[in-house]
Amino acid sequence: MQRQAHAADPAPSEATRRDRLQRLGALLDQHAERFTAQISQDFGTRAAAEITVTELVPIRSAIRHARQYLRAWMRPRRAATGWLFWPGHSRLLRQPLGVVGIVSPWNYPLLLALSPLVDVLAAGNRALLKPSELTPCFAEGLRLAVAEFFAPDEVAVLTGDATLGQAFCAQPFDHLVFTGSTAVGRLVAQAAAKNLTPVTLELGGKSPVIVDASCDLGKTMDRLAWGKLINAGQTCIAPDYALVPRAMVGAFADALRASMLRLYPTFQGNPDYTSIASDRHLARLQALVADAQQQGATVVELESTGTGRQMPPVLLLNVHAGMRVLQEEIFGPLLPIVPYDTLDEATAFVNARDKPLALYWFGTDTAHRDQVLAQTQSGGVSINDTLVHLAQDGLPFGGVGPSGQGHYHGEWGFRQFSFEKPVFLQSRWSGGGLVYPPYTPRIQQLLRWLGRRH
């Protein structure tokens, strides 16, 4: 149905695209409280304020940004033309791809479903969404809300389990967006490759924090604590481990612990602190702590563990590379602290592992900052803060290598979900005689001269 609709209107007007973005904003306004309640129900405990800050606000910002710049993004772009072809000229036409599939995860179910949808609609496409089955209340709420504001040949939501997800990814979309684990991302890429469907993969990995010797721990630890504990660490760009100068490890652990307790005086029973999404995920996190402890790690618990799924944070000292907690993406409120002696040693530690989705640096020494930026690769970076590069509509968001491929957000997303068609416009004053046969010796001599000059 969506393919037929796209064929009937392959180049939606600016007015049509603005209308779709306006309806998406209206959907969000009308159902915000309901979405918040559904997400909280799916998690067990998740604060409304946290959902607002991390999911509702960024989507509304993205819609405003797209509506502000849509006309400029749609405008054909002039491109350079070789002087041999003057007075002809070149341009790029940005055209919708067609039908885009969006597979979104459970950890930020609203943001990671609708954020790419903003860019997809701005680019003039139609979309099918497959939300995670691990947030069933929200998934059904999103399906009903979308059906209320969009015709099914514009946007539709399909709900179901992993079997439906596999069938979904096997469809011949014009583009497929997947957010989730690296392991599942590989399977999605393989399924899409059978149809030569291009993919945007937003995966994860072990995003490091590098604490510089110049860091003022008193002024920055709240930013690190917030980035680690928002959504109980169940964030694809959450700080995964901290590299700290050896002489500062004790002071760093104390400062971070104090900051975490200042933000969350208690954890279990605290309505501001998010539950781990399922018993299976909680058991996995507990197994990571047990493995590290058995191999000699010092475990610093901020609160004794209870029976619910609100897992208190755990700092891990004296860790080594053989522990699972330094091999697997954590996706929870655990933070291994790795000492280093030189900045080269810290960057080498990062570079010895898969390229992460995010990297964080804390300090005031700009030479050290620039060294880290130059010597490491990651999907994105925040300096003296965590997570906030994701909220910048003027910056692309995406991974590199095992942490993902492709980018979206703002104009980057508009371009990702468009085909930039190259067009050469020949001038009526262009003769073209030099390239047409018969090639006389004089013409060949002139072509050789032009070739050397070009």
Side-chain angles (χ1 to χ4, degrees):
M1 188 187 300
Q2 292 194 358
R3 282 204 175 283
Q4 292 172 356
H6 173 70
D9 184 18
S13 66
E14 179 187 342
T16 296
R17 302 182 196 200
R18 288 188 179 280
D19 173 65
R20 290 172 180 166
L21 291 171
Q22 188 277 329
R23 279 185 277 148
L24 184 61
L27 178 156
L28 203 61
D29 291 340
Q30 182 164 321
H31 292 278
E33 290 187 9
R34 191 172 307 163
F35 287 155
T36 298
Q38 290 164 345
I39 292 170
S40 183
Q41 181 179 347
D42 283 328
F43 271 79
T45 302
R46 192 163 176 221
E50 181 180 285
I51 295 170
T52 298
V53 168
T54 60
E55 306 208 50
L56 292 166
V57 169
I59 299 170
R60 290 189 172 112
S61 176
I63 293 172
R64 286 194 302 270
H65 186 80
R67 294 178 69 181
Q68 180 179 356
Y69 292 100
L70 181 61
R71 180 171 299 173
W73 295 345
M74 292 179 64
R75 190 176 299 127
R77 295 295 199 271
R78 293 293 297 265
T81 300
W83 68 270
L84 286 174
F85 304 96
W86 293 349
H89 61 280
S90 306
R91 65 175 57 178
L92 291 170
L93 300 181
R94 293 176 171 178
Q95 297 182 314
L97 294 174
V99 180
V100 178
I102 300 173
V103 182
S104 54
W106 54 265
N107 59 325
Y108 291 90
L110 180 60
L111 174 70
L112 296 175
L114 298 193
S115 180
L117 181 62
V118 173
D119 299 340
V120 167
L121 295 181
N125 299 287
R126 295 156 194 275
L128 286 174
L129 281 65
K130 165 60 177 76
S132 172
E133 65 274 17
L134 298 181
T135 49
C137 295
F138 167 75
E140 179 62 13
L142 181 65
R143 185 186 71 81
L144 295 173
V146 166
E148 182 182 345
F149 282 84
F150 291 92
D153 64 2
E154 291 179 307
V155 183
V157 177
L158 304 179
T159 59
D161 59 13
T163 301
L164 175 66
Q166 293 172 1
F168 187 95
C169 294
Q171 300 305 306
F173 289 106
D174 297 295
H175 197 102
L176 182 62
V177 182
F178 169 80
T179 305
S181 70
T182 299
V184 178
R186 289 192 175 97
L187 300 177
V188 170
Q190 291 171 13
K194 294 178 181 179
N195 297 309
L196 296 180
T197 297
V199 293
T200 297
L201 302 176
E202 303 301 344
L203 307 177
K206 299 187 71 61
S207 297
V209 175
I210 299 179
V211 177
D212 192 70
S214 64
C215 176
D216 185 334
L217 299 178
K219 292 184 177 179
T220 57
M221 285 303 96
D222 281 359
R223 301 171 190 174
L224 175 54
W226 173 80
K228 182 59 187 178
L229 298 186
I230 196 81
N231 206 23
Q234 299 168 111
T235 304
C236 59
I237 57 172
D240 200 273
Y241 62 95
L243 287 158
V244 181
R246 192 175 302 275
M248 295 175 61
V249 166
F252 171 82
D254 290 343
L256 183 58
R257 182 178 185 277
S259 178
M260 288 179 168
L261 290 171
R262 185 163 53 250
L263 298 180
Y264 301 94
T266 61
F267 296 95
Q268 294 163 104
N270 185 341
D272 290 337
Y273 187 65
T274 302
S275 298
I276 302 302
S278 69
D279 291 335
R280 180 172 63 88
H281 286 289
L282 177 62
R284 181 185 61 83
L285 291 168
Q286 292 169 337
L288 291 179
V289 175
D291 173 78
Q293 192 167 27
Q294 289 169 6
Q295 296 193 56
T298 300
V299 176
V300 180
E301 294 181 317
L302 274 69
E303 186 176 286
S304 60
T305 302
T307 58
R309 293 206 314 271
Q310 286 177 297
M311 182 181 189
V314 175
L315 306 182
L316 296 167
L317 303 171
N318 302 313
V319 294
H320 60 75
M323 298 174 179
R324 287 176 55 196
V325 76
L326 283 180
Q327 297 173 351
E328 304 173 16
E329 183 177 9
I330 293 174
F331 227 67
L334 317 179
L335 187 71
I337 300 172
V338 181
Y340 71 86
D341 295 306
T342 66
L343 191 56
D344 286 338
E345 180 185 338
T347 56
F349 189 93
V350 174
N351 292 335
R353 286 149 182 79
D354 288 341
K355 297 172 183 175
L357 185 56
L359 182 145
Y360 305 108
W361 182 87
F362 285 83
T364 58
D365 188 322
T366 57
H368 285 183
R369 177 200 67 193
D370 293 344
Q371 180 182 341
V372 169
L373 290 174
Q375 293 183 355
T376 60
Q377 279 193 329
S378 61
V381 178
S382 286
I383 299 295
N384 286 318
D385 213 331
T386 56
L387 312 187
V388 293
H389 64 279
L390 171 65
Q392 311 310 311
D393 293 313
L395 290 177
F397 174 68
V400 56
S403 61
Q405 57 183 263
H407 296 81
Y408 64 94
H409 281 194
E411 186 174 9
W412 298 89
F414 184 95
R415 295 179 63 183
Q416 183 81 310
F417 304 125
S418 300
F419 171 61
E420 295 188 302
K421 178 188 287 185
V423 178
F424 176 76
L425 295 92
Q426 184 61 280
S427 168
R428 62 176 180 166
W429 306 110
S430 177
L434 289 178
V435 297
Y436 300 153
Y439 300 117
T440 66
R442 184 175 179 182
I443 289 179
Q444 292 183 51
Q445 184 179 8
L446 181 57
L447 286 172
R448 283 194 296 270
W449 178 81
L450 289 171
R452 288 194 298 271
R453 184 180 178 188
H454 188 64

